[in-house]
Amino acid sequence: METVELVAAHRPKVESFNITERTNTDPKGFVRPVEHYRLEAWGLYMARTADHPSFHYLESWILPDLGIRASIFHYHPYHARDQNHYVDIGDFTRGPDVWRSEDHYLDLVVRTGRDTELLDVGELIAATAHGYLSPGAAERAVQRAVAAVDGIAAHGHDLDAWLTSQGMPVTWR
């Protein structure tokens, strides 16, 4: 018999990206300087240092039309993970100076050329059950995650190739 792990419910994580001030405010309210923003018609690129114990640098593409934030975490050697890209599913809102994100719990780990793994389904279910996420937003998250997994898999588990096929040719530092 398979055991079911209970997941604590929490509100969606909200983050902001201030292009003018070159800052990124994380879900806990910490404001961090951003080294590089690049604005495209289809998305926003951000690159910044990180004071996290596991990684020292973060690159992200925020792609509102796909409902994803694709990231590369530059891990310290002693915390290296078997992943090339990490993809958050959510609502991403463009603004003239400030973009906002609301994480909708589902995440993807992409191992280029090998596989794409869906994570945190339990978090999505728990948050929806507790009313932190509407059923419509939860359905949208599932649809976005399925579309991303399908697209990435159809391109040989290559996130960059899938995004290029969507007219979003991302580049990384």
mmCIF file of all heavy atoms in Angstrom, residues 127-151:
data_model
loop_
_atom_site.group_PDB
_atom_site.id
_atom_site.type_symbol
_atom_site.label_atom_id
_atom_site.label_comp_id
_atom_site.label_asym_id
_atom_site.label_seq_id
_atom_site.Cartn_x
_atom_site.Cartn_y
_atom_site.Cartn_z
ATOM 1 N N ALA A 127 -3.617 23.666 -1.248
ATOM 2 C CA ALA A 127 -3.921 25.105 -1.323
ATOM 3 C C ALA A 127 -5.326 25.350 -1.867
ATOM 4 O O ALA A 127 -6.042 26.231 -1.381
ATOM 5 C CB ALA A 127 -2.883 25.813 -2.197
ATOM 6 N N THR A 128 -5.719 24.566 -2.846
ATOM 7 C CA THR A 128 -7.061 24.707 -3.418
ATOM 8 C C THR A 128 -8.111 24.283 -2.388
ATOM 9 O O THR A 128 -9.119 24.966 -2.207
ATOM 10 C CB THR A 128 -7.181 23.882 -4.714
ATOM 11 O OG1 THR A 128 -6.132 24.282 -5.610
ATOM 12 C CG2 THR A 128 -8.515 24.129 -5.399
ATOM 13 N N ALA A 129 -7.852 23.187 -1.686
ATOM 14 C CA ALA A 129 -8.792 22.709 -0.666
ATOM 15 C C ALA A 129 -8.973 23.721 0.463
ATOM 16 O O ALA A 129 -10.067 23.838 1.026
ATOM 17 C CB ALA A 129 -8.314 21.369 -0.105
ATOM 18 N N HIS A 130 -7.923 24.481 0.775
ATOM 19 C CA HIS A 130 -7.991 25.481 1.843
ATOM 20 C C HIS A 130 -8.453 26.851 1.345
ATOM 21 O O HIS A 130 -8.493 27.808 2.115
ATOM 22 C CB HIS A 130 -6.632 25.604 2.533
ATOM 23 C CG HIS A 130 -6.369 24.504 3.497
ATOM 24 N ND1 HIS A 130 -5.890 23.264 3.115
ATOM 25 C CD2 HIS A 130 -6.555 24.437 4.839
ATOM 26 C CE1 HIS A 130 -5.774 22.495 4.176
ATOM 27 N NE2 HIS A 130 -6.169 23.176 5.232
ATOM 28 N N GLY A 131 -8.758 26.963 0.058
ATOM 29 C CA GLY A 131 -9.253 28.226 -0.477
ATOM 30 C C GLY A 131 -8.187 29.256 -0.786
ATOM 31 O O GLY A 131 -8.496 30.414 -1.061
ATOM 32 N N TYR A 132 -6.920 28.859 -0.756
ATOM 33 C CA TYR A 132 -5.844 29.795 -1.090
ATOM 34 C C TYR A 132 -5.722 30.019 -2.593
ATOM 35 O O TYR A 132 -5.142 30.999 -3.037
ATOM 36 C CB TYR A 132 -4.500 29.301 -0.551
ATOM 37 C CG TYR A 132 -4.429 29.229 0.953
ATOM 38 C CD1 TYR A 132 -3.703 28.228 1.572
ATOM 39 C CD2 TYR A 132 -5.079 30.165 1.764
ATOM 40 C CE1 TYR A 132 -3.619 28.147 2.954
ATOM 41 C CE2 TYR A 132 -5.011 30.095 3.138
ATOM 42 C CZ TYR A 132 -4.277 29.084 3.731
ATOM 43 O OH TYR A 132 -4.194 29.008 5.092
ATOM 44 N N LEU A 133 -6.250 29.081 -3.355
ATOM 45 C CA LEU A 133 -6.224 29.167 -4.814
ATOM 46 C C LEU A 133 -7.606 28.757 -5.308
ATOM 47 O O LEU A 133 -8.146 27.761 -4.853
ATOM 48 C CB LEU A 133 -5.153 28.223 -5.371
ATOM 49 C CG LEU A 133 -4.701 28.443 -6.806
ATOM 50 C CD1 LEU A 133 -4.033 29.805 -6.964
ATOM 51 C CD2 LEU A 133 -3.743 27.355 -7.242
ATOM 52 N N SER A 134 -8.152 29.535 -6.211
ATOM 53 C CA SER A 134 -9.483 29.213 -6.728
ATOM 54 C C SER A 134 -9.418 27.962 -7.594
ATOM 55 O O SER A 134 -8.369 27.649 -8.167
ATOM 56 C CB SER A 134 -10.026 30.382 -7.548
ATOM 57 O OG SER A 134 -9.329 30.465 -8.786
ATOM 58 N N PRO A 135 -10.546 27.252 -7.722
ATOM 59 C CA PRO A 135 -10.559 26.095 -8.620
ATOM 60 C C PRO A 135 -10.168 26.475 -10.053
ATOM 61 O O PRO A 135 -9.483 25.707 -10.728
ATOM 62 C CB PRO A 135 -12.004 25.592 -8.540
ATOM 63 C CG PRO A 135 -12.473 26.035 -7.193
ATOM 64 C CD PRO A 135 -11.797 27.368 -6.965
ATOM 65 N N GLY A 136 -10.563 27.649 -10.511
ATOM 66 C CA GLY A 136 -10.187 28.092 -11.861
ATOM 67 C C GLY A 136 -8.693 28.283 -12.007
ATOM 68 O O GLY A 136 -8.103 27.891 -13.017
ATOM 69 N N ALA A 137 -8.065 28.884 -10.993
ATOM 70 C CA ALA A 137 -6.607 29.077 -11.034
ATOM 71 C C ALA A 137 -5.889 27.729 -10.955
ATOM 72 O O ALA A 137 -4.872 27.526 -11.624
ATOM 73 C CB ALA A 137 -6.153 29.997 -9.909
ATOM 74 N N ALA A 138 -6.416 26.808 -10.160
ATOM 75 C CA ALA A 138 -5.814 25.478 -10.063
ATOM 76 C C ALA A 138 -5.914 24.751 -11.398
ATOM 77 O O ALA A 138 -4.944 24.121 -11.847
ATOM 78 C CB ALA A 138 -6.504 24.671 -8.960
ATOM 79 N N GLU A 139 -7.063 24.847 -12.050
ATOM 80 C CA GLU A 139 -7.220 24.204 -13.362
ATOM 81 C C GLU A 139 -6.264 24.817 -14.380
ATOM 82 O O GLU A 139 -5.632 24.110 -15.164
ATOM 83 C CB GLU A 139 -8.662 24.335 -13.843
ATOM 84 C CG GLU A 139 -8.889 23.675 -15.187
ATOM 85 C CD GLU A 139 -10.326 23.765 -15.672
ATOM 86 O OE1 GLU A 139 -11.182 24.314 -14.962
ATOM 87 O OE2 GLU A 139 -10.578 23.281 -16.791
ATOM 88 N N ARG A 140 -6.131 26.145 -14.334
ATOM 89 C CA ARG A 140 -5.209 26.837 -15.248
ATOM 90 C C ARG A 140 -3.771 26.365 -15.003
ATOM 91 O O ARG A 140 -3.010 26.141 -15.946
ATOM 92 C CB ARG A 140 -5.340 28.343 -15.046
ATOM 93 C CG ARG A 140 -4.703 29.186 -16.097
ATOM 94 C CD ARG A 140 -5.116 30.654 -16.018
ATOM 95 N NE ARG A 140 -4.868 31.299 -14.735
ATOM 96 C CZ ARG A 140 -5.817 31.651 -13.863
ATOM 97 N NH1 ARG A 140 -7.091 31.423 -14.127
ATOM 98 N NH2 ARG A 140 -5.507 32.228 -12.726
ATOM 99 N N ALA A 141 -3.411 26.177 -13.735
ATOM 100 C CA ALA A 141 -2.062 25.696 -13.402
ATOM 101 C C ALA A 141 -1.820 24.306 -13.975
ATOM 102 O O ALA A 141 -0.764 24.047 -14.558
ATOM 103 C CB ALA A 141 -1.861 25.693 -11.887
ATOM 104 N N VAL A 142 -2.800 23.428 -13.827
ATOM 105 C CA VAL A 142 -2.651 22.069 -14.369
ATOM 106 C C VAL A 142 -2.528 22.115 -15.886
ATOM 107 O O VAL A 142 -1.672 21.445 -16.473
ATOM 108 C CB VAL A 142 -3.827 21.170 -13.921
ATOM 109 C CG1 VAL A 142 -3.827 19.852 -14.678
ATOM 110 C CG2 VAL A 142 -3.767 20.941 -12.412
ATOM 111 N N GLN A 143 -3.367 22.912 -16.534
ATOM 112 C CA GLN A 143 -3.308 23.015 -18.000
ATOM 113 C C GLN A 143 -1.955 23.551 -18.460
ATOM 114 O O GLN A 143 -1.378 23.057 -19.432
ATOM 115 C CB GLN A 143 -4.440 23.902 -18.519
ATOM 116 C CG GLN A 143 -5.801 23.263 -18.389
ATOM 117 C CD GLN A 143 -6.938 24.232 -18.705
ATOM 118 O OE1 GLN A 143 -6.774 25.444 -18.723
ATOM 119 N NE2 GLN A 143 -8.118 23.675 -18.944
ATOM 120 N N ARG A 144 -1.435 24.550 -17.771
ATOM 121 C CA ARG A 144 -0.132 25.114 -18.132
ATOM 122 C C ARG A 144 0.988 24.097 -17.916
ATOM 123 O O ARG A 144 1.900 23.991 -18.736
ATOM 124 C CB ARG A 144 0.134 26.381 -17.324
ATOM 125 C CG ARG A 144 -0.728 27.539 -17.752
ATOM 126 C CD ARG A 144 -0.593 28.713 -16.826
ATOM 127 N NE ARG A 144 -1.255 29.886 -17.391
ATOM 128 C CZ ARG A 144 -1.506 30.992 -16.711
ATOM 129 N NH1 ARG A 144 -1.133 31.083 -15.440
ATOM 130 N NH2 ARG A 144 -2.105 32.002 -17.292
ATOM 131 N N ALA A 145 0.926 23.379 -16.812
ATOM 132 C CA ALA A 145 1.958 22.379 -16.526
ATOM 133 C C ALA A 145 1.933 21.263 -17.563
ATOM 134 O O ALA A 145 2.983 20.850 -18.060
ATOM 135 C CB ALA A 145 1.774 21.809 -15.120
ATOM 136 N N VAL A 146 0.728 20.795 -17.908
ATOM 137 C CA VAL A 146 0.611 19.726 -18.908
ATOM 138 C C VAL A 146 1.121 20.201 -20.259
ATOM 139 O O VAL A 146 1.857 19.491 -20.948
ATOM 140 C CB VAL A 146 -0.846 19.222 -18.997
ATOM 141 C CG1 VAL A 146 -1.060 18.334 -20.209
ATOM 142 C CG2 VAL A 146 -1.231 18.487 -17.720
ATOM 143 N N ALA A 147 0.762 21.429 -20.645
ATOM 144 C CA ALA A 147 1.226 21.969 -21.928
ATOM 145 C C ALA A 147 2.751 22.092 -21.943
ATOM 146 O O ALA A 147 3.396 21.773 -22.946
ATOM 147 C CB ALA A 147 0.578 23.329 -22.202
ATOM 148 N N ALA A 148 3.327 22.536 -20.830
ATOM 149 C CA ALA A 148 4.786 22.673 -20.764
ATOM 150 C C ALA A 148 5.476 21.312 -20.819
ATOM 151 O O ALA A 148 6.434 21.130 -21.575
ATOM 152 C CB ALA A 148 5.194 23.432 -19.499
ATOM 153 N N VAL A 149 4.994 20.355 -20.043
ATOM 154 C CA VAL A 149 5.598 19.016 -20.067
ATOM 155 C C VAL A 149 5.497 18.420 -21.466
ATOM 156 O O VAL A 149 6.472 17.874 -21.990
ATOM 157 C CB VAL A 149 4.935 18.080 -19.019
ATOM 158 C CG1 VAL A 149 5.368 16.634 -19.231
ATOM 159 C CG2 VAL A 149 5.281 18.530 -17.607
ATOM 160 N N ASP A 150 4.328 18.546 -22.066
ATOM 161 C CA ASP A 150 4.125 18.019 -23.421
ATOM 162 C C ASP A 150 5.068 18.681 -24.420
ATOM 163 O O ASP A 150 5.712 18.009 -25.222
ATOM 164 C CB ASP A 150 2.666 18.213 -23.829
ATOM 165 C CG ASP A 150 2.337 17.567 -25.154
ATOM 166 O OD1 ASP A 150 2.688 16.381 -25.343
ATOM 167 O OD2 ASP A 150 1.717 18.241 -26.009
ATOM 168 N N GLY A 151 5.158 20.009 -24.378
ATOM 169 C CA GLY A 151 6.017 20.734 -25.307
ATOM 170 C C GLY A 151 7.491 20.432 -25.110
ATOM 171 O O GLY A 151 8.236 20.214 -26.072
#
